[in-house]
């Protein structure tokens, strides 16, 4: 009798264990894993987003890249599923040059370019012959030059456009020495230049507060900022992927806005564009 009881107990234990294993396997199967390429994963919004997504069966893995072109190449090649590091203007330039089919599927934040300095406290203190470092990628280079123009330091040609370079400067009354360089280098050269125009994300990685430290920065106004709104990007074939769309929706919720504002001390703001606004801005830029 004891042997029969022990056999029954053993069989029941095996059934329970098998059920647990099946449940675990089903749980793993139900979880959708999404790799998102980023350029610096220290933003406080990411842990919040990952936690929210996990509750809906979406496991987000952040893949960090040190160079601006690498996340787009990795996405085009299928090494990652999405990326979230660039504005629409940068993406359009990449697509035009590479021919790869990448598209914006959701807006994230507007992060103003800022002028930083270790030598002066106000943009008006820039004097004749001073050296100014700017990012050298086409979209941010043009954007930085427009920022200098808005500070009345230079004048650009009427045909300058969104991807102009220093050759588009028609007036430089202070004979400023404007030095394009890789964006990640712009904080590092501060001891050697009067001022440096630094991307918001790069500034944050370098220990600056983009909301408090710039001596001058961009001001976002209406549709003029659309090309510089950061985005979540997918391959063209995945534009309507329901999981990716849900990630965008989770990112654009109020709690993420609050985290971004607090984390950047007001240096960045969540901007929600409709898909139609994204598509129009992107398509206008890649013509």
């Amino acid at each position: 009798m004891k042997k029969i009881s022990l056999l029954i107990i053993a069989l029941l234990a095996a059934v329970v264990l098998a059920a647990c294993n099946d449940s675990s396997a089903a749980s793993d199967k139900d979880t959708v894993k999404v790799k998102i390429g980023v350029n610096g994963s220290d933003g406080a919004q990411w842990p919040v987003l990952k936690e929210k997504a996990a509750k809906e069966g979406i496991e987000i893995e952040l893949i960090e890249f040190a160079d601006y072109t690498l996340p787009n190449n990795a996405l085009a090649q299928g090494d990652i599923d999405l990326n979230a590091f660039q504005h629409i203007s940068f993406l359009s330039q990449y697509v035009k040059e590479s021919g790869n089919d990448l598209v914006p599927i959701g807006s994230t934040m507007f992060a103003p370019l800022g002028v930083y300095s270790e030598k002066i406290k106000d943009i008006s203190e820039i004097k004749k012959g001073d050296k100014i470092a700017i990012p050298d990628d086409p979209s941010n280079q043009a954007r930085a030059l427009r920022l200098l123009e808005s500070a009345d330091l230079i004048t650009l040609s009427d045909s300058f456009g969104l991807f102009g370079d220093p050759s588009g400067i028609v007036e430089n009354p202070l004979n400023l020495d404007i030095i394009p360089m890789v964006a990640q280098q712009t904080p590092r050269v501060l001891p050697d230049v009067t001022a440096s125009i630094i991307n918001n994300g790069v500034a944050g990685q370098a220990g600056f507060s983009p909301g408090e430290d710039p001596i001058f920065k961009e001001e976002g106004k209406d549709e003029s900022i659309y090309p510089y709104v950061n985005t979540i990007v997918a391959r063209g074939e995945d534009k309507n992927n329901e999981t990716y769309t849900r990630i965008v929706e989770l990112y654009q919720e109020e709690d993420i806005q609050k985290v971004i504002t607090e984390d950047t001390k007001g240096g960045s703001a969540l901007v929600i564009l409709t898909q139609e606004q994204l598509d129009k801005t992107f398509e206008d830029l890649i013509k």
Side-chain angles (χ1 to χ4, degrees):
M1 190 71 177
K2 283 185 178 179
K3 289 183 178 179
I4 293 174
S5 298
L6 289 172
L7 180 59
I8 291 172
I9 291 172
L11 287 171
L12 287 172
V15 170
V16 170
L17 182 59
C20 289
N21 286 338
D22 287 344
S23 175
S24 176
S27 177
D28 289 343
K29 188 176 181 180
D30 291 342
T31 299
V32 180
K33 298 183 179 180
V34 180
K35 293 182 179 180
I36 303 180
V38 296
N39 189 271
S41 59
D42 54 348
Q45 74 273 22
W46 292 116
V48 176
L49 180 65
K50 289 173 71 173
E51 182 178 350
K52 289 168 56 171
K55 292 177 181 177
E56 300 194 11
I58 304 170
E59 180 184 330
I60 293 176
E61 179 184 359
L62 299 179
I63 309 297
E64 188 167 352
F65 295 88
D67 181 89
Y68 275 1
T69 59
L70 296 178
N72 280 332
N73 290 335
L75 179 58
Q77 293 164 10
D79 297 328
I80 55 178
D81 304 302
L82 302 170
N83 68 42
F85 76 100
Q86 64 194 317
H87 50 61
I88 304 172
S89 179
F90 186 93
L91 173 63
S92 69
Q93 186 69 11
Y94 172 83
V95 169
K96 284 199 293 187
E97 292 178 354
S98 70
N100 290 325
D101 184 20
L102 303 184
V103 295
I105 63 168
S107 60
T108 56
M109 65 175 76
F110 173 62
L113 276 184
V115 181
Y116 295 76
S117 178
E118 293 181 352
K119 297 180 172 64
I120 60 175
K121 297 187 180 299
D122 191 275
I123 196 77
S124 63
E125 296 176 39
I126 289 178
K127 60 185 185 302
K128 190 171 184 178
D130 278 349
K131 295 180 178 180
I132 312 292
I134 64 173
D136 68 354
D137 58 276
S139 59
N140 285 314
Q141 180 173 237
R143 189 180 173 192
L145 292 170
R146 286 202 176 279
L147 183 58
L148 293 177
E149 183 179 47
S150 71
D152 297 323
L153 293 172
I154 61 173
T155 302
L156 302 172
S157 68
D158 293 338
S159 60
F160 185 74
L162 285 173
F163 302 107
D165 58 35
S167 67
I169 299 173
V170 293
E171 292 182 22
N172 184 1
L174 293 178
N175 195 29
L176 299 176
D177 184 7
I178 298 171
I179 310 168
M181 62 184 62
V182 174
Q184 283 79 5
Q185 294 295 326
T186 51
R188 300 173 189 171
V189 299
L190 277 169
D192 305 313
V193 298
T194 301
S196 187
I197 297 180
I198 306 176
N199 293 6
N200 195 293
V202 174
Q205 292 170 13
F208 291 108
S209 170
E212 299 176 340
D213 292 336
I215 62 171
F216 190 74
K217 63 181 180 179
E218 286 177 318
E219 296 293 336
K221 294 180 181 178
D222 305 321
E223 294 184 11
S224 64
I225 73 166
Y226 286 6
Y228 307 119
V229 171
N230 288 346
T231 59
I232 294 175
V233 176
R235 289 180 291 277
E237 64 194 50
D238 294 326
K239 182 176 181 178
N240 299 313
N241 181 291
E242 291 183 4
T243 298
Y244 302 165
T245 298
R246 185 56 185 151
I247 289 174
V248 169
E249 292 171 348
L250 292 172
Y251 193 108
Q252 292 179 342
E253 290 179 345
E254 190 174 341
D255 55 347
I256 296 289
Q257 166 68 81
K258 183 178 179 182
V259 168
I260 289 172
T261 301
E262 292 176 351
D263 186 42
T264 65
K265 296 184 173 66
S268 297
L270 182 67
V271 175
I272 301 176
L273 301 183
T274 66
Q275 190 61 52
E276 289 75 18
Q277 289 171 322
L278 280 175
D279 290 343
K280 184 180 185 307
T281 304
F282 180 59
E283 288 165 8
D284 286 348
L285 290 173
I286 61 174
K287 285 180 181 177

